[in-house]
Amino acid sequence: MTKLSESASLIDEKALGAEMAAIASRAAATDTDPRPELLAALKQANQAGRAVAREILQRDRDGVGCARRLSALVDSLIHVIYEHTVSHVFPGGRDEKIAIVAVGGYGRATLAPSSDVDLLFLLPPKAQPLADKVLEHILYFLWDIGFKVGHSTRRVDDCIKLSRADMTIRTALLEARWILGDRDLYNEMVTRFDNEVIKGTGPEFIQAKLAERDERHRRAGTSRYLVEPNVKDGKGGLRDLHTLFWIAKYFYRASTADQLVKQGVFARKELNRFHKCEEFLWAVRCNLHFVTNRADDRLGFENQREIAELLGYQLHPGLEPVERFMKHYFLVAKDVGDLTRIFCAALEEMHAKPKPMLDRVLHHTFRRRKKSLPGTPQFIIENDRLSVTDDDVFERDPVNLLRIFAVAARNDLDFQPDVLKLITRSLRLIDADLRENDEANRIFLDVLTSKKHAETVLRAMNETGVLGRFINEFGRVVAMMQFNMYHHYTVDEHTLRAIGLLAQIERGEEQGEHPLATELFPAIANRNVLYLALFLHDVAKGRVEDHSIAGAKIARRLGPRFGFSPAETDQLAWLVENHLVMSIIAQSRDLSDRQTIRDFAAVVQTVERLRMLLMLTIADIKAVGPGVWNGWKGQLLRTLYYETEPYLLGGHSKLSRDQRVAAAKAELAAELTDWSEAELSDYGRRHFAPYWLRVDLPEKVMHARLLRSMEGTGRRLATAYSTKKFEAITELVVVAPDHPRLLSTITGACAAAGVNIADAQIYTTNDGLALDTILINREFPDDADEFRRADRVLKMIEAALEGREKLPEIFARRVGQRKPSKAFKVPTDIKFDNTLSETLSVLEVSCLDRPGLLYDVTTAMSDLNLNIASAHIATFGERVVDVFYVTDLTKLKIQSGAKQAAIRRRILAAVTGEEPHPPKKAA
């Protein structure tokens, strides 16, 4: 098959022109309007050309070639429309001095399928009678075909004046490309722009473009490792490559990237990386536009699978095709960062730009001076940044590849860009001998455990490639994404952020949000074990084996390498293997159930492990991404710690159950000073033992007053709310006659009101009432706003319980239209466990989250006559884990295998929205 060249037109321009002329001639002969038929011909040509472009892209996966073909397609359409306009509509228009010029991305002769078409209509100083009419006629055709056209009509003087004042216009003109018309007029504009605008303004342009880049990164997300990246504007995206090319064209006067090799900016190998990055990003962007049929440059979860398939990624053990595709994407984004750093180094060498714009982390004034560093003569401080005495410093001693990062951390120094380039080019020196070098490993551990700069220096090690080469296991997860909505960053970025958060806790900077962790950190006996465990906790992601178990094996292998004793290595491996345990138990178990605490204590075994696991868990959750951590998760972790610590210290059985119940009643009585002895005695008999043992005193006081107030009104329904700002939780309390559908009604009303339930605790009284406490995630920072929200939700609950609102109708109207994400497939897992509680069965439902799920599940449980004692809802992105502590109507555990199977079938039907099918009888 003959390959279509990148510049070849996707349509037969000559044939289309002839067809347009024939249409115009027929219309003239019949005195009819030719425009509808002309437009239909143009649209058909455009659609056919785009279809060919998409077909070729799917075949050769050449993104740059596709972008150039689409640009050539628009060129051809403009030529045909212009020729028709000056031949059949305004015959005198051919004599007008007009230049049609492509600018912006279109000026680079690359267009994504849904990109804007940016045009400059260039006119001479003297007015012309037909010029505006000709241009307007062309514009209307382009709009009607369906293009989004950005256009301006200017004289050469206007172009020069405006580009001096506006950097956006200046950048657009920098990429001006003649399409048709008066070539002399275009050449005059280019010459004057070169002499009157560009000349002598290189540093000004560079500073503006880099500032613009930083602002763009801030808007799109400062990390290049966001799992739903913006292919165009995100960090490491196409716009970063464009910025390099703009600066190259402006400052180095390079018309192509290849000329940067001649200028000494890039080595040939680095130029090849530039082209590979450009080709890959264009392939992603063009496919994304074709798939979405719109100018959407966000590579969202909903499109990642399809793009991966279009680009030919295959399944690999432990990694889905989409995860392999996204890992490639982030490696390319990292390469773009490397190229930017190399480019900046070359600019500084030529003193092209003021030092403060060189790098995001440079803050000092510009002055050239060199200073030696005591104890490390191979390193110097140049221009207030760390540099080397000569280019052979790493060849002479490869340990310097680690040592330079330790020096940077110890002296609070940034790196000279030239040094980072030299490090990247010296990665081949990191071999097995260096990995087993005692000094190199000691230096790495010093960097990892640095209180001040661990995250910053480790990130520099990662960006240069040193970290993944020195710790091979970490290299496997560099740029690895996990295809889910829970993790916001790649595995390596998540890990580095976690290290930074742990250091913040150690420095005491998180006292307000993490008071317990801050208090406990000084008691950690071996902080090196904790930091290395956090560094390794996700290092085995992407393998077939469970990453916690595989990670523990890696930890056992690496512990001795870093000088850990056998006991320290055991502790390191235990932390890695169990790094998820505390989070899972805190979020999905009843922490007031003594069996939960006994089981957790049996796993943890020592207070030292408990402390370290708390620190690791906090850092791990917080580093997942913005909004994942909240005060409620902090409260759950603190509660689990406070419940477990005395158990580990042997203080769990000082008082009998009856003694603890009596103490709780006495504690409440001391608060209710306005109650009579008879009232207190009656109220004490009203609740069962679990209530007295599990509910905190402030809640007991509020419940008592609520029940007393309700009886005074003669109603059998009462509600109340309170907010907990630190925990980011709002507590809803509902007192109502106990019946099987009470909780499902409450959850349905909450779903209809658009609130997320985090936890639910259900208690019954001996006079037939249910006291349900529903914890919902706080939405508003201001208490007054949150009070109004809570009041609105409780009114809906009351209306549903009293029958004033028909819940199925409200639910269908407000929730039914909200659809779950189609991007993810989460297997539904429903399991029973009768060992997790002494008196209750634990039913765990893990599945794809969707609006109204909890209502559907609790409704099914009501149908099954299950008594729900507590519910615990944990959401991990698109996956939800709902855990219910239940009994049958006789308050006994669900022991029957047949009954458990029937419950599973009914719950599965509720999750999937299908009718349950009874099991087939054996023949």
Side-chain angles (χ1 to χ4, degrees):
M1 181 180 289
T2 303
K3 183 178 179 181
L4 190 67
S5 70
E6 292 177 354
S7 59
S9 179
L10 296 169
I11 60 176
D12 187 333
E13 190 177 316
K14 187 174 180 180
L16 180 59
E19 183 183 357
M20 297 273 285
I23 292 170
S25 298
R26 285 199 304 272
T30 58
D31 196 23
T32 56
D33 183 6
R35 184 173 178 80
E37 196 176 351
L38 290 169
L39 186 58
L42 289 168
K43 282 184 174 181
Q44 197 280 328
N46 180 46
Q47 290 166 1
R50 291 165 64 82
V52 172
R54 186 173 188 177
E55 180 193 340
I56 296 171
L57 176 64
Q58 290 177 356
R59 195 167 61 240
D60 67 11
R61 297 169 184 153
D62 181 358
V64 173
C66 179
R68 288 177 178 157
R69 291 185 192 105
L70 290 171
S71 175
L73 169 64
V74 178
D75 285 357
S76 294
L77 291 171
I78 291 174
H79 277 115
V80 170
I81 296 169
Y82 172 81
E83 190 60 36
H84 163 76
T85 302
V86 297
S87 298
H88 300 281
V89 184
F90 302 109
R94 195 184 298 277
D95 298 327
E96 303 283 66
K97 289 191 68 172
I98 297 170
I100 299 181
V101 180
V103 292
Y106 183 34
R108 284 192 302 276
T110 50
L111 269 183
S114 298
S115 288
D116 293 358
V117 175
D118 294 323
L119 293 172
L120 168 64
F121 298 134
L122 204 53
L123 301 175
K126 188 177 179 181
Q128 301 173 104
L130 294 177
D132 288 341
K133 293 180 179 179
V134 169
L135 297 176
E136 184 180 84
H137 196 263
I138 294 170
L139 262 179
Y140 275 110
F141 263 120
L142 291 173
W143 282 329
D144 289 344
I145 291 170
F147 290 115
K148 295 183 288 290
V149 183
H151 71 285
S152 57
T153 304
R154 296 189 179 120
R155 274 74 179 167
V156 174
D157 284 344
D158 298 331
C159 293
I160 302 305
K161 181 180 178 181
L162 290 170
S163 61
R164 282 175 180 156
D166 189 313
M167 200 59 70
T168 302
I169 295 174
R170 191 185 305 187
T171 307
L173 288 180
L174 182 66
E175 299 189 292
R177 176 176 61 86
W178 179 86
I179 298 176
L180 60 80
D182 194 310
R183 182 76 91 149
D184 291 339
L185 195 59
Y186 167 77
N187 288 338
E188 179 192 348
M189 188 270 292
V190 170
T191 302
R192 289 188 58 187
F193 179 75
D194 199 49
N195 293 328
E196 299 176 32
V197 179
I198 292 181
K199 197 171 184 180
T201 60
E204 171 196 347
F205 180 81
I206 292 167
Q207 188 165 356
K209 287 292 112 182
L210 293 180
E212 183 183 288
R213 177 200 64 179
D214 287 349
E215 174 58 22
R216 175 166 42 79
H217 289 169
R218 187 193 64 76
R219 292 194 307 268
T222 54
S223 173
R224 67 172 57 92
Y225 304 112
L226 290 166
V227 293
E228 288 188 290
N230 188 302
V231 182
K232 178 185 174 186
D233 291 328
K235 194 170 186 179
L238 270 170
R239 185 64 84 207
D240 281 359
L241 289 180
H242 295 161
T243 300
L244 295 187
F245 186 67
W246 290 333
I247 293 173
K249 195 167 185 179
Y250 201 103
F251 186 78
Y252 290 103
R253 316 312 285 265
S255 57
T256 65
D258 295 58
Q259 292 178 7
L260 293 175
V261 175
K262 297 176 183 177
Q263 298 269 12
V265 177
F266 287 148
R268 174 59 61 180
K269 184 178 179 182
E270 290 154 355
L271 178 68
N272 291 337
R273 285 171 73 193
F274 183 101
H275 287 314
K276 284 183 179 179
C277 290
E278 185 180 34
E279 288 163 6
F280 175 81
L281 291 171
W282 267 115
V284 174
R285 190 180 183 210
C286 287
N287 273 299
L288 185 59
H289 280 210
F290 276 132
V291 166
T292 62
N293 198 31
R294 63 180 185 273
D296 185 359
D297 293 311
R298 183 187 65 89
L299 187 53
F301 290 126
E302 67 276 14
N303 303 124
Q304 289 175 8
R305 283 187 188 277
E306 187 170 355
I307 304 298
E309 184 180 340
L310 289 168
L311 294 178
Y313 289 87
Q314 302 296 317
L315 184 67
H316 187 274
L319 284 178
E320 294 184 50
V322 64
E323 291 172 328
R324 296 189 68 205
F325 158 54
M326 291 306 296
K327 178 168 185 175
H328 189 183
Y329 179 92
F330 292 119
L331 288 172
V332 166
K334 181 177 177 293
D335 279 347
V336 173
D338 292 343
L339 292 168
T340 301
R341 189 165 53 248
I342 292 166
F343 193 78
C344 287
L347 287 173
E348 183 181 349
E349 191 64 30
M350 298 182 66
H351 301 185
K353 62 182 176 134
K355 185 183 171 191
M357 290 308 303
L358 239 188
D359 196 278
R360 291 178 56 82
V361 295
L362 307 182
H363 305 290
H364 309 295
T365 56
F366 186 84
R367 56 187 185 276
R368 289 278 172 182
R369 58 190 178 85
K370 295 182 180 181
K371 186 172 68 174
S372 61
L373 281 165
T376 52
Q378 66 273 46
F379 305 130
I380 57 174
I381 298 175
E382 182 179 356
N383 192 27
D384 293 333
R385 281 173 292 170
L386 188 59
S387 188
V388 293
T389 53
D390 62 84
D391 288 353
D392 295 327
V393 67
F394 302 125
E395 290 277 358
R396 287 196 301 272
D397 185 1
V399 176
N400 281 331
L401 282 166
L402 279 299
R403 194 177 285 123
I404 191 169
F405 291 100
V407 170
R410 189 165 57 247
N411 295 280
D412 190 15
L413 290 169
D414 299 315
F415 295 92
Q416 280 282 3
D418 261 345
V419 171
L420 294 175
K421 180 167 67 173
L422 182 62
I423 291 171
T424 300
R425 291 173 177 174
S426 304
L427 291 177
R428 57 183 172 75
L429 300 173
I430 301 177
D431 54 15
D433 289 341
L434 185 62
R435 293 185 196 102
E436 295 302 322
N437 184 288
D438 290 343
E439 186 182 4
N441 285 305
R442 179 190 58 76
I443 290 170
F444 171 76
L445 204 57
D446 287 345
V447 170
L448 176 66
T449 58
S450 167
K451 283 186 184 181
K452 286 187 178 181
H453 307 293
E455 181 184 359
T456 302
V457 178
L458 286 170
R459 182 165 283 109
M461 292 179 74
N462 196 36
E463 293 287 344
T464 54
V466 169
L467 192 54
R469 284 294 189 98
F470 189 65
I471 312 289
N472 273 336
E473 295 81 0
F474 188 81
R476 289 186 59 168
V477 297
V478 169
M480 180 184 289
M481 68 94 66
Q482 299 158 82
F483 189 67
N484 58 55
M485 289 172 62
Y486 182 59
H487 293 91
H488 294 228
Y489 304 107
T490 55
V491 176
D492 55 327
E493 177 68 8
H494 160 74
T495 301
L496 300 185
R497 286 172 179 261
I499 295 293
L501 288 164
L502 184 62
Q504 288 175 19
I505 293 172
E506 184 177 13
R507 294 195 300 265
E509 296 172 5
E510 297 290 312
Q511 171 70 41
E513 194 167 13
H514 304 294
L516 177 61
T518 302
E519 176 190 337
L520 293 175
F521 205 106
I524 297 292
N526 195 327
R527 56 188 294 277
N528 285 5
V529 170
L530 176 58
Y531 273 94
L532 187 58
L534 185 58
F535 179 75
L536 297 176
H537 79 281
D538 277 349
V539 78
K541 283 281 179 77
R543 301 179 189 227
V544 176
E545 188 177 12
D546 178 275
H547 82 280
S548 297
I549 297 171
K553 294 175 183 176
I554 292 170
R556 289 191 183 280
R557 190 166 67 248
L558 290 179
R561 172 179 158 184
F562 290 106
F564 285 9
S565 68
E568 289 172 328
T569 299
D570 281 345
Q571 197 168 42
L572 173 72
W574 183 90
L575 282 168
V576 174
E577 183 169 352
N578 294 279
H579 72 271
L580 294 173
V581 170
M582 193 170 194
S583 173
I584 290 170
I585 290 178
Q587 294 183 70
S588 62
R589 295 289 179 262
D590 187 343
L591 303 185
S592 63
D593 192 309
R594 299 307 300 170
Q595 187 65 41
T596 299
I597 305 306
R598 280 196 293 269
D599 291 346
F600 180 60
V603 173
V604 176
Q605 297 182 349
T606 71
V607 173
E608 174 70 2
R609 281 182 175 180
L610 179 63
R611 290 171 184 152
M612 289 202 288
L613 193 56
L614 175 68
M615 308 296 169
L616 194 154
T617 303
I618 291 171
D620 187 18
I621 295 174
K622 287 198 76 172
V624 166
V628 173
W629 175 268
N630 56 38
W632 175 239
K633 290 177 182 175
Q635 180 61 31
L636 290 173
L637 290 171
R638 285 190 295 274
T639 299
L640 181 54
Y641 181 90
Y642 285 133
E643 291 291 325
T644 308
E645 184 187 48
Y647 196 95
L648 292 170
L649 294 173
H652 59 282
S653 57
K654 291 180 180 177
L655 296 174
S656 70
R657 181 183 177 89
D658 290 343
Q659 287 175 318
R660 286 189 289 134
V661 169
K665 290 179 180 180
E667 195 178 41
L668 176 63
E671 293 292 323
L672 301 177
T673 55
D674 56 334
W675 286 39
S676 68
E677 286 294 328
E679 285 178 307
L680 288 171
S681 179
D682 288 343
Y683 190 78
R685 289 191 295 271
R686 196 168 192 175
H687 294 288
F688 298 103
Y691 175 85
W692 294 109
L693 297 176
R694 296 176 181 178
V695 179
D696 291 338
L697 180 59
E699 277 72 33
K700 287 192 186 102
V701 172
M702 190 258 280
H703 296 164
R705 298 198 183 283
L706 181 64
L707 282 163
R708 190 191 203 192
S709 172
M710 181 186 76
E711 289 168 351
T713 65
R715 296 180 70 198
R716 295 278 284 173
L717 174 64
T719 59
Y721 63 82
S722 62
T723 63
K724 299 181 178 182
K725 198 164 189 174
F726 181 70
E727 291 86 353
I729 280 292
T730 293
E731 182 178 287
L732 309 178
V733 178
V734 179
V735 180
D738 190 22
H739 64 84
R741 294 196 179 277
L742 178 61
L743 182 61
S744 64
T745 301
I746 293 172
T747 59
C750 287
V755 302
N756 294 317
I757 296 176
D759 214 73
Q761 199 74 45
I762 297 96
Y763 297 101
T764 55
T765 65
N766 61 14
D767 56 349
L769 291 176
L771 196 160
D772 290 4
T773 300
I774 310 297
L775 301 178
I776 62 175
N777 292 318
R778 186 181 177 116
E779 184 173 318
F780 298 105
D782 183 70
D783 280 345
D785 292 333
E786 190 65 17
F787 291 160
R788 282 190 289 272
R789 173 177 176 252
D791 188 59
R792 173 174 57 82
V793 175
L794 285 176
K795 283 179 178 175
M796 181 169 286
I797 291 173
E798 289 182 11
L801 288 173
E802 292 179 335
R804 290 182 281 112
E805 292 276 10
K806 294 182 179 178
L807 189 56
E809 294 177 7
I810 303 173
F811 188 81
R813 186 169 65 249
R814 299 195 180 189
V815 182
Q817 295 178 352
R818 300 182 220 154
K819 302 296 183 185
S821 171
K822 294 181 179 179
F824 301 99
K825 297 174 183 177
V826 176
T828 298
D829 187 23
I830 302 166
K831 55 190 177 186
F832 267 95
D833 196 315
N834 281 316
T835 67
L836 297 177
S837 174
E838 291 180 345
T839 58
L840 302 163
S841 293
V842 177
L843 173 62
E844 181 176 300
V845 181
S846 174
C847 60
L848 180 68
D849 196 13
R850 61 172 171 80
L853 174 69
L854 188 58
Y855 170 64
D856 289 339
V857 171
T858 52
T859 298
M861 294 173 75
S862 300
D863 295 340
L864 292 162
N865 293 320
L866 293 179
N867 181 55
I868 303 173
S870 68
H872 311 275
I873 292 84
T875 304
F876 305 94
E878 75 284 359
R879 183 172 68 93
V880 67
V881 179
D882 292 345
V883 177
F884 304 93
Y885 282 66
V886 301
T887 63
D888 60 20
L889 288 181
T890 63
K891 305 291 185 182
L892 296 176
K893 287 185 177 183
I894 316 298
Q895 301 282 10
S896 163
K899 181 70 179 291
Q900 290 182 5
I903 291 171
R904 285 194 189 94
R905 286 196 300 274
R906 181 66 183 86
I907 299 296
L908 179 62
V911 169
T912 60
E914 300 172 358
E915 286 298 316
H917 299 287
K920 294 181 179 179
K921 293 182 180 180

